[in-house]
Amino acid sequence: NAGVTQTPKFRILKIGQSMTLQCTQDMNHNYMYWYRQDPGMGLKLIYYSVGAGITDKGEVPNGYNVSRSTTEDFPLRLELAAPSQTSVYFCASSYPSTGGSTDTQYFGPGTRLTVL
Amino acid sequence: DAKTTQPTSMDCAEGRAANLPCNHSTISGNEYVYWYRQIHSQGPQYIIHGLKNNETNEMASLIITEDRKSSTLILPHATLRDTAVYYCIVRVPPNNAGNMLTFGGGTRLMVKP
């Protein structure tokens, strides 16, 4: 199992450019998430998905879009990059057990994005 | 989800126990206490969770007070590789709306030789 993989590891964008951050998991998890982490801060949820075809907004969705066409993939799209989107982006996945207490989230290694 | 309060930073000598406190005085009866950690430049890693009983696994122990308003994560024999930011998260079990984790500032644990 590779777990949760993210590409690219690093990227520099110019203001107004667009890009897609890729996230793939091979654990057959239903739930997937995108978080961002600004320097020295905790993680904030951008979007999440409870299964293929179902996505919903998290705490900070503005400026981002997602899609979930398969169980494995959950790409994050930035349409018009802005300096405020400079951050480290983490993808995560989980498979909640029945009873709900053991829903461990597994995180990818992150994508470091700089918008200049 | 209930808010949590953790010290900003702590030091621990290598080989000694590291005790990381967390206050969650507004916790509800159905909210669990989760601990994650984030080693520099890596994604967060799950450590342990509990509801009201003390819990232990291969990584750590979790002690929850009887009134559930605070808890302590214990790393019994801290190593240099345990240097990380430790997040205490209080939340309800997942439902159809997803398993969102709300990360606060965490405690930066520095394990020193």
Side-chain angles (χ1 to χ4, degrees):
Chain A
N1 272 355
V4 179
T5 57
Q6 293 182 238
T7 57
K9 285 187 169 55
F10 303 92
R11 184 72 186 268
I12 298 174
L13 284 181
K14 294 182 179 178
I15 294 172
Q17 286 185 322
S18 61
M19 76 164 294
T20 299
L21 283 68
Q22 302 291 346
C23 175
T24 300
Q25 53 91 8
D26 63 359
M27 298 174 281
N28 202 31
H29 286 169
N30 289 350
Y31 290 10
M32 295 187 75
Y33 315 81
W34 275 106
Y35 294 88
R36 61 176 284 174
Q37 185 174 34
D38 298 333
M41 306 294 286
L43 280 73
K44 293 188 176 181
L45 183 68
I46 305 171
Y47 270 96
Y48 66 97
S49 168
V50 300
I54 306 169
T55 64
D56 208 345
K57 297 177 180 178
E59 187 183 358
V60 289
N62 291 344
Y64 307 94
N65 279 300
V66 293
S67 59
R68 183 95 181 273
S69 57
T70 67
T71 299
E72 295 78 20
D73 300 307
F74 190 40
L76 177 72
R77 179 83 177 162
L78 282 71
E79 291 294 349
L80 290 170
S84 60
Q85 293 178 306
T86 294
S87 191
V88 180
Y89 291 84
F90 291 102
C91 179
S93 72
S94 70
Y95 185 79
S97 70
T98 56
S101 68
T102 58
D103 56 315
T104 301
Q105 290 195 18
Y106 296 87
F107 285 79
T111 294
R112 292 184 177 278
L113 176 67
T114 301
V115 182
L116 300 174
Chain B
D1 294 342
K3 290 188 178 178
T4 61
T5 304
Q6 299 177 251
T8 304
S9 64
M10 293 180 63
D11 290 343
C12 177
E14 187 178 19
R16 303 296 293 270
N19 297 287
L20 291 88
C22 179
N23 283 319
H24 31 80
S25 59
T26 60
I27 192 170
S28 316
N30 63 343
E31 288 183 310
Y32 285 73
V33 180
Y34 286 78
W35 284 84
Y36 280 75
R37 74 179 182 183
Q38 187 174 22
I39 297 171
H40 182 63
S41 298
Q42 298 181 21
Q45 176 190 25
Y46 166 82
I47 302 173
I48 199 167
H49 74 279
L51 182 61
K52 49 186 171 183
N53 296 325
N54 297 338
E55 303 287 345
T56 295
N57 63 21
E58 65 278 4
M59 289 183 68
S61 295
L62 174 60
I63 309 298
I64 302 174
T65 58
E66 193 169 341
D67 64 7
R68 303 207 325 120
K69 293 185 176 182
S70 66
S71 60
T72 301
L73 177 74
I74 301 172
L75 308 177
H77 305 287
T79 70
L80 298 179
R81 287 176 294 180
D82 292 321
T83 292
V85 178
Y86 288 77
Y87 295 99
C88 170
I89 300 165
V90 174
R91 55 186 289 271
V92 297
N95 54 31
N96 287 336
N99 306 345
M100 292 178 282
L101 291 174
T102 301
F103 289 81
T107 296
R108 187 171 299 275
L109 175 68
M110 179 73 71
V111 180
K112 298 184 175 180

